[in-house]
Amino acid sequence: MSVSRTMEDSCELDLVYVTERIIAVSFPSTTNEESFRSNLREVAQMLKSKHGGNYLLFNLSERRPDITKLHAKVLEFGWPDLHTPALEKICSVCKAVDTWLNADPHNVVVLHNKGNRGRIGVVIAAYMHYSNISASANQALDRFAMKRFYEDKIVPIGQPSQRRYVHYFSGLLSGSIKMNNKPLFLHHVIMHGIPNFESKGGCRPFLRIYQAMQPVYTSGIYNVQGDSQTSICITIEPGLLLKGDILLKCYHKKFRSPARDVIFRVQFHTCAIHDLGVVFGKEDLDDAFKDDRFPEYGKVEFVFSYGPEKIQGMEHLENGPSVSVDYNTSDPLIRWDSYDNFNGPRDDGMEGRWDQGLPAPLQTAQPLLTWPWLSWTPLIHLTSKMKEEKSVWGLLFSVG
């Protein structure tokens, strides 16, 4: 649904009424700052004239002062582009959307994103499943509209981990996924099929593992020739205890160059891991799923246990003599954490605001639980079907 001719003609802005009360506003990551600010002002004017004070903006990107200057009510739910948010954050944003929409029939939600639209897709898809359980049958048309938007606009550009987390959320809501609360220790990461990141084939992979977006492990750099190995095993001993939201990122360190490429990235939550051996095919790996350098038959296998002790009988996983390992992980290129400055300070260069004169509590973005209209009700009480799983959400929030 187009709102203004100027916006419709702008290649820098995508504004869509997903439903009558859910609006998606997205800017490409390549949008220059001047154009972004200009369009941001225009969106703010349109929303104010059309919805007055009845819209709440959910910022899914990094924090920016210019967003809070232009909009009266903002909730910050941002996470890095092309990634999936923490499972707890998906729960919180769905509850916040539902609470705001139910507070007043004129209230609307604005989902704001700068970058890949996959972030908006995660929220739309998750809320579609949430409302399927919590909302009345007369909202079926809205759920159909959300489904159509997700399938038409998001699926072609989304990342596998984003779809995985929507599946987790849907399964936990419906009860089809049971919570695993056992500790998991990661011992081996096996890459079956060697990606070709060097001119003569092969690659120089190393791993970075994050828990709740904090780095917890960095491997050595493995030197693998393309024609010498059919797989490569990175062993972690003693096993690495993992719980909650996990991001594993595999890089290729370029030969004789101070640069690195992402080979694959994968995010998962330990609450949904029930097998001690988990395999992700190429289609399940972020970045790799559309990279020709990663073989079509390639896959990544994770070997877990319930304790840190070395798993016996796994000698067959040892790499051949042609694989060398450089354990010099003090190299800044290896240690660099690309998530450190996600919400760092930004000088946006904007002056003034469109919403002068509002009550002080509404003039700046605030933490979720400080909003007076947002009283947290555990999701578990939404339906009797979920009551039999009443420990699920407490476990989820305790391990995240």
Side-chain angles (χ1 to χ4, degrees):
M1 173 179 176
S2 299
V3 177
S4 74
R5 176 59 57 185
T6 305
M7 292 182 186
E8 184 179 359
D9 293 341
S10 173
C11 62
E12 300 288 352
L13 166 65
D14 184 26
L15 190 152
V16 178
Y17 274 71
V18 181
T19 71
E20 290 184 352
R21 302 179 66 196
I22 300 179
I23 307 165
V25 178
S26 186
F27 298 86
S29 58
T30 53
T31 304
N32 65 60
E33 284 296 298
E34 183 179 357
S35 178
F36 176 74
R37 293 169 190 159
S38 174
N39 279 310
L40 200 63
R41 289 190 183 97
E42 192 171 351
V43 169
Q45 288 177 313
M46 183 281 293
L47 291 171
K48 186 176 180 181
S49 65
K50 191 172 177 67
H51 300 288
N54 289 100
Y55 76 89
L56 172 63
L57 188 141
F58 288 70
N59 182 29
L60 308 182
S61 307
E62 62 268 29
R63 295 173 184 263
R64 294 181 58 111
D66 43 9
I67 293 175
T68 54
K69 285 177 182 176
L70 290 173
H71 301 283
K73 295 182 283 290
V74 178
L75 288 183
E76 297 289 351
F77 278 101
W79 68 87
D81 199 14
L82 299 172
H83 291 60
T84 188
L87 198 50
E88 180 180 350
K89 182 170 287 189
I90 297 177
C91 300
S92 297
V93 73
C94 284
K95 178 59 184 175
V97 167
D98 202 55
T99 302
W100 176 253
L101 293 179
N102 287 331
D104 188 314
H106 296 102
N107 281 356
V108 299
V109 161
V110 180
L111 303 177
H112 172 271
N113 172 69
K114 187 173 188 283
N116 184 277
R117 286 195 305 272
R119 282 189 281 214
I120 288 178
V122 169
V123 174
I124 292 293
Y127 186 65
M128 176 180 68
H129 292 296
Y130 179 98
S131 62
N132 191 45
I133 288 179
S134 68
S136 58
N138 61 12
Q139 290 182 292
L141 285 178
D142 283 350
R143 290 193 291 275
F144 175 78
M146 287 187 277
K147 184 174 186 291
R148 184 175 61 184
F149 173 84
Y150 180 71
E151 291 177 348
D152 293 349
K153 288 247 185 183
I154 306 301
V155 169
I157 55 143
Q159 295 286 321
S161 288
Q162 293 172 339
R163 294 193 289 272
R164 182 176 308 112
Y165 265 61
V166 170
H167 172 70
Y168 288 165
F169 186 68
S170 170
L172 290 168
L173 283 173
S174 67
S176 63
I177 293 180
K178 305 299 181 183
M179 291 285 292
N180 168 43
N181 61 342
K182 295 180 181 178
L184 286 176
F185 291 82
L186 179 62
H187 291 262
H188 304 283
V189 178
I190 309 157
M191 196 157 36
H192 299 278
I194 305 302
N196 289 314
F197 276 71
E198 292 286 0
S199 58
K200 295 182 180 180
C203 59
R204 305 180 71 233
F206 67 94
L207 299 181
R208 291 274 281 167
I209 300 178
Y210 301 80
Q211 181 171 285
M213 298 308 286
Q214 297 300 312
V216 294
Y217 176 79
T218 302
S219 77
I221 305 162
Y222 288 66
N223 193 1
V224 188
Q225 300 300 316
D227 57 356
S228 64
Q229 294 282 125
T230 57
S231 66
I232 182 73
C233 178
I234 297 176
T235 297
I236 306 171
E237 294 297 353
L240 178 66
L241 175 61
L242 296 177
K243 61 178 182 177
D245 295 285
I246 305 301
L247 162 63
L248 186 143
K249 205 165 185 178
C250 180
Y251 290 98
H252 161 69
K253 186 180 186 302
K254 294 184 177 181
F255 186 62
R256 293 179 179 173
S257 171
R260 65 185 187 182
D261 287 334
V262 176
I263 298 177
F264 70 85
R265 189 180 70 244
V266 64
Q267 291 178 263
F268 59 90
H269 197 291
T270 57
C271 78
I273 302 296
H274 295 276
D275 299 316
L276 296 180
V278 179
V279 177
F280 295 96
K282 178 175 179 174
E283 69 278 5
D284 302 317
L285 301 171
D286 302 339
D287 291 329
F289 78 106
K290 58 181 180 180
D291 191 337
D292 292 337
R293 295 173 295 182
F294 197 96
E296 291 301 315
Y297 59 86
K299 57 187 178 181
V300 178
E301 180 180 359
F302 292 75
V303 179
F304 297 98
S305 79
Y306 294 128
E309 299 81 13
K310 182 177 180 179
I311 304 175
Q312 299 301 314
M314 306 296 282
E315 292 77 11
H316 63 283
L317 295 179
E318 294 180 2
N319 298 310
S322 62
V323 176
S324 60
V325 186
D326 178 3
Y327 290 103
N328 179 25
T329 56
S330 61
D331 185 336
L333 181 70
I334 309 302
R335 306 297 301 181
W336 176 59
D337 183 353
S338 55
Y339 305 107
D340 269 350
N341 298 315
F342 173 69
N343 274 321
R346 173 189 292 272
D347 179 11
D348 58 86
M350 296 189 69
E351 297 180 359
R353 55 181 291 129
W354 293 99
D355 298 291
Q356 296 287 353
L358 287 164
L362 298 183
Q363 288 184 356
T364 58
Q366 300 180 44
L368 179 64
L369 295 180
T370 67
W371 288 91
W373 49 265
L374 185 55
S375 58
W376 178 263
T377 302
L379 298 179
I380 199 59
H381 297 305
L382 291 174
T383 172
S384 59
K385 179 193 293 187
M386 296 170 66
K387 286 181 180 177
E388 61 193 44
E389 292 289 330
K390 60 185 176 182
S391 63
V392 165
W393 297 102
L395 285 170
L396 174 59
F397 294 141
S398 70
V399 300

